[in-house]
Amino acid sequence: LRSLAMNLRYINYDEANDEGAKIIALTSAAAGEGKTTLTYNLGIVLAELGLHVLVVDANMRKASIHELAKITNEIGLSMALSSNKPWSEFVHTGQVENLDVITAGPTPSNPVALLNSKKMRQYINEWRETYDYVLLDTPTVGITADVQSLASQVDSVILINGVERSSRNAVNHAMEVLQMTRCHLAGLVANFVTRNDEYYAYLDSSSYNQAYLPPAKTSGGKSQPQISGSV
């Protein structure tokens, strides 16, 4: 997590402004890949580095950030987007220094409409000016259109893959769906990797992280996956 946190600044890095992506959505190909736990704990690690961080539970169909943060979900993002109150009134603070949390709130009748609303785009722009990093926990790709609604609005998307939790076909499908949104797909994070895995010694997280990047077009028109060692 610390290695990933340090590498976030190089996603969409702008040399002129000396900063990278600030609004980052985390998603996965299937349920149970540790996406939510990773999102919240990555927020804690960034906050411990002295950065002002906001974690947003954008999974309004299956909210769970509030359980990790041990806070109420009676109010949250769904209510903020459907009311005239400012988003700041729905922020939970104090659990971890430098870390703010907006829970998902009560499940709305149409989450896609809220996530794709003008107000959501406004919130994202305001969060970009307020925080060093904003991490959005989103639903899995392919089940609903929620992620597609957000992908093109954020600076970057990170795909979480739990080792032996989803198939290669599921991961490829998730990447294809994300690419159709024309979002910036920063890479893939392998979760549940243990020291017992045969390739652990080669992919030493203390030296670099391997990231699976969007397919590149070859001269024959076919897509080939790219591997980067710098994200």
Side-chain angles (χ1 to χ4, degrees):
L1 281 172
R2 291 189 180 92
S3 178
L4 178 59
M6 296 301 294
N7 286 336
L8 287 184
R9 67 168 298 175
Y10 299 109
I11 298 177
N12 277 7
Y13 181 71
D14 184 349
E15 188 173 355
N17 297 318
D18 190 29
E19 66 177 24
K22 299 181 69 174
I23 313 293
I24 302 171
L26 292 92
T27 188
S28 60
E33 300 199 69
K35 165 183 57 65
T36 299
T37 302
L38 192 148
T39 301
Y40 182 67
N41 284 287
L42 180 59
I44 292 177
V45 170
L46 289 167
E48 289 175 345
L49 293 173
L51 298 165
H52 194 193
V53 182
L54 173 67
V55 171
V56 180
D57 193 342
N59 190 352
M60 291 184 278
R61 301 176 191 271
K62 193 176 180 181
S64 53
I65 286 289
H66 65 282
E67 296 175 353
L68 294 174
K70 294 180 172 56
I71 53 180
T72 179
N73 191 39
E74 293 180 358
I75 62 172
L77 183 62
S78 62
M79 295 181 66
L81 290 171
S82 56
S83 72
N84 294 321
K85 297 181 180 180
W87 58 266
S88 56
E89 293 192 15
F90 298 87
V91 174
H92 295 267
T93 61
Q95 283 72 32
V96 178
E97 186 177 359
N98 297 324
L99 179 66
D100 292 348
V101 175
I102 296 181
T103 63
T107 303
S109 58
N110 192 351
V112 175
L114 292 180
L115 294 175
N116 199 38
S117 66
K118 181 179 179 180
K119 179 172 279 191
M120 185 64 186
R121 289 190 289 273
Q122 176 186 333
Y123 282 179
I124 288 175
N125 289 331
E126 292 177 2
W127 293 338
R128 183 178 285 107
E129 297 298 321
T130 306
Y131 294 93
D132 295 312
Y133 284 102
V134 178
L135 306 179
L136 290 90
D137 180 43
T138 69
T140 58
V141 179
I143 298 178
T144 67
D146 297 21
V147 178
Q148 292 91 306
S149 300
L150 280 173
S152 60
Q153 301 182 50
V154 300
D155 298 336
S156 284
V157 177
I158 295 177
L159 185 64
I160 309 301
N161 175 229
V163 175
E164 297 183 356
R165 302 297 175 98
S166 62
S167 67
R168 182 184 297 271
N169 287 338
V171 174
N172 286 337
H173 173 69
M175 294 183 66
E176 290 172 358
V177 171
L178 291 172
Q179 287 162 26
M180 286 191 293
T181 69
R182 297 184 181 277
C183 70
H184 178 264
L185 183 55
L188 182 148
V189 173
N191 199 18
F192 303 120
V193 177
T194 70
R195 293 182 181 274
N196 294 325
D197 289 315
E198 292 180 359
Y199 54 85
Y200 182 86
Y202 179 72
L203 296 181
D204 184 356
S205 61
S206 64
S207 58
Y208 67 91
N209 291 327
Q210 289 280 19
Y212 185 79
L213 300 180
K217 293 293 184 181
T218 65
S219 57
K222 295 184 178 180
S223 296
Q224 296 294 333
Q226 304 176 76
I227 297 295
S228 168
S230 60
V231 177

